[in-house]
Amino acid sequence: MHIDPVRNTLWYDLSSPSQSSNSASNDSNPAASFEQVLGQVGQVSPEQPSSRTIPNREDGLLWMQLGNGAVTEELGNVSAAPGTSSNSISAAHEAISTDYDALIKQASLKYGVSESLIKAVIDTESSFNPNVVSSAGAKGLMQLMDGTAAGLGVTNAFDPAQSIDAGTRYLSYQLQRFNGEEKLALAAYNAGPGRVGRLGVDTDEELMTVMSRLPLETQRYITKIEQAQAKYTV
């Protein structure tokens, strides 16, 4: 499946003073809604008309614009050159690492989320740039909205340690909520658990049959995460 680049999503790097003033938050009373919403999977609110922005006020939590972390290498597309063994390809694949491997490993052990999935989310959300701010105001490596960050106890969304810990914790909530079904959890991470809960499906296989009911952004998001995860899976 060819994934078109996401259009009209602006990214700003806070390391440039001229750009940092463009970031804005659209959260209101963020901390109050966080704990309240965790138990409100079935809460129903009107669907938002745009598939480009999904402000899940029903969840009071995280929603994400697709980042600019386009997948440039897919493991499934790698073919061995004549005389090259599959072990050579595997060795090259194992060499893939990031500047945040220690933090990712720590979060993985703490919350029971695979390192490859955490890396794939970071890759897709921010391309491992801890200073990015989306046009919607999502910040840092795991693109936390201000309301989500506050609810998770984050004091600096640009701090890699806080972003990775909080983003992984939130992802673990979705995996628990949807009984370990990864696609459902990723859809919830992107579009909000309330919206996904209203689909009335319990497995990833069932989700695929109703995928068209999710915003196009979320459909692409799930595919991009899976492609990115292949790069970090040993």
Side-chain angles (χ1 to χ4, degrees), residues 7 106 109 117 125 134 158 206 226:
R7 298 179 175 85
Q106 180 179 338
L109 293 172
L117 183 57
E125 294 293 350
S134 77
F158 301 108
E206 291 174 352
E226 290 180 330

Side-chain angles (χ1 to χ4, degrees), residues 52-104:
R52 300 297 305 150
T53 56
I54 316 166
N56 289 301
R57 297 189 184 279
E58 60 182 302
D59 302 302
L61 299 173
L62 182 69
W63 65 275
M64 306 252 180
Q65 293 259 5
L66 279 180
N68 60 349
V71 177
T72 57
E73 176 185 357
E74 297 177 19
L75 186 61
N77 291 338
V78 177
S79 58
T84 302
S85 69
S86 60
N87 289 335
S88 299
I89 296 175
S90 176
H93 181 54
E94 289 173 5
I96 296 177
S97 61
T98 77
D99 292 336
Y100 307 104
D101 281 0
L103 293 173
I104 290 168

Side-chain angles (χ1 to χ4, degrees), residues 15-164:
S15 61
S16 171
S18 64
Q19 292 178 337
S20 61
S21 61
N22 292 326
S23 62
S25 168
N26 58 359
D27 295 298
S28 59
N29 193 20
S33 61
F34 182 80
E35 296 298 340
Q36 175 185 4
V37 208
L38 286 179
Q40 296 180 348
V41 187
Q43 180 179 347
V44 177
S45 65
E47 298 289 347
Q48 299 297 325
S50 171
S51 64
R52 300 297 305 150
T53 56
I54 316 166
N56 289 301
R57 297 189 184 279
E58 60 182 302
D59 302 302
L61 299 173
L62 182 69
W63 65 275
M64 306 252 180
Q65 293 259 5
L66 279 180
N68 60 349
V71 177
T72 57
E73 176 185 357
E74 297 177 19
L75 186 61
N77 291 338
V78 177
S79 58
T84 302
S85 69
S86 60
N87 289 335
S88 299
I89 296 175
S90 176
H93 181 54
E94 289 173 5
I96 296 177
S97 61
T98 77
D99 292 336
Y100 307 104
D101 281 0
L103 293 173
I104 290 168
K105 182 175 183 179
Q106 180 179 338
S108 173
L109 293 172
K110 186 176 180 180
Y111 298 114
V113 179
S114 71
E115 292 181 44
S116 63
L117 183 57
I118 299 170
K119 290 179 180 180
V121 170
I122 297 173
D123 190 330
T124 301
E125 294 293 350
S126 65
S127 293
F128 290 92
N129 182 349
N131 298 313
V132 298
V133 180
S134 77
S135 58
K139 299 170 182 175
L141 287 174
M142 297 194 79
Q143 289 292 275
L144 302 174
M145 294 297 289
D146 287 342
T148 306
L152 291 165
V154 173
T155 57
N156 180 5
F158 301 108
D159 174 24
Q162 292 191 51
S163 181
I164 290 171

